[in-house]
C-alpha cells in the first residue's frame, strides 16, 4: 500500500483530533488548532480538510444523535484510523528528518 502523505493543515487537523479523543467534532477541532498554532482557521477550510482526510482513509466519521440545541442537527465526530496514525507518524518522521542538522539555527 502506498504511503499517505499529509499536508501541514491535514497534519494539524489529525493532531487536534487525537488531542480531543472522543470529543472530536468540527467546532473543538477548529478551536484546538487555533489555540495551539495561533492561526485562524476558516470553517470551510476545516470541512474541506476533514472530507479530504476521510477520503484518504485517515478518519472515520460517526454521527451523534440530533439535539434540540443544534436545531435538530446531529454532530459528526471523527476518529483517527490505523492508516491515519501511520500517516501521522510518517509525516512526523519526515519533518523531524528535515530539521536534523538545523539545531543551531
Amino acid at each position: 500500500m502506498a504511503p499517505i502523505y499529509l499536508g501541514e493543515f491535514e497534519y494539524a487537523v489529525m493532531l487536534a483530533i487525537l488531542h480531543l479523543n472522543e470529543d472530536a467534532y468540527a467546532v473543538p477541532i477548529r478551536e484546538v488548532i487555533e489555540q495551539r498554532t495561533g492561526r485562524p482557521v476558516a470553517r470551510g477550510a476545516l470541512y474541506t480538510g476533514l472530507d479530504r482526510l476521510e477520503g484518504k482513509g485517515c478518519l472515520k466519521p460517526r454521527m451523534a444523535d440530533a439535539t434540540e440545541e443544534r436545531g435538530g442537527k446531529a454532530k459528526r465526530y471523527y476518529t483517527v484510523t490505523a492508516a491515519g496514525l501511520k500517516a501521522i507518524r510518517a509525516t512526523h518522521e519526515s519533518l523531524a528528518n528535515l530539521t536534523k542538522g538545523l539545531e543551531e539555527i
Side-chain angles (χ1 to χ4, degrees), residues 21-75:
N21 204 1
E22 297 292 319
D23 296 322
Y25 66 95
V27 173
I29 293 169
R30 183 178 176 201
E31 289 171 353
V32 167
I33 296 169
E34 289 181 342
Q35 289 168 358
R36 292 188 176 240
T37 66
R39 294 165 55 179
V41 175
R43 278 190 347 202
L46 178 59
Y47 286 110
T48 298
L50 289 167
D51 288 345
R52 193 168 50 240
L53 288 164
E54 186 181 341
K56 289 182 176 186
C58 293
L59 296 178
K60 181 180 177 188
R62 69 175 167 80
M63 297 302 288
D65 292 333
T67 61
E68 283 186 36
E69 69 187 40
R70 291 179 41 86
K73 295 172 86 178
K75 290 180 187 173

Side-chain angles (χ1 to χ4, degrees), residues 1-2 6 8-9 11-12 16 25-26 30 39 53 55 58 61 63 70 72 75-76 81 83 86 93 97 99:
M1 186 169 138
L6 301 176
E8 177 190 359
F9 185 68
Y11 186 56
Y25 66 95
R30 183 178 176 201
R39 294 165 55 179
L53 288 164
C58 293
M63 297 302 288
R70 291 179 41 86
K75 290 180 187 173
R76 188 177 184 114
T81 64
K86 189 174 179 180
E93 186 177 326
N97 285 336
T99 61

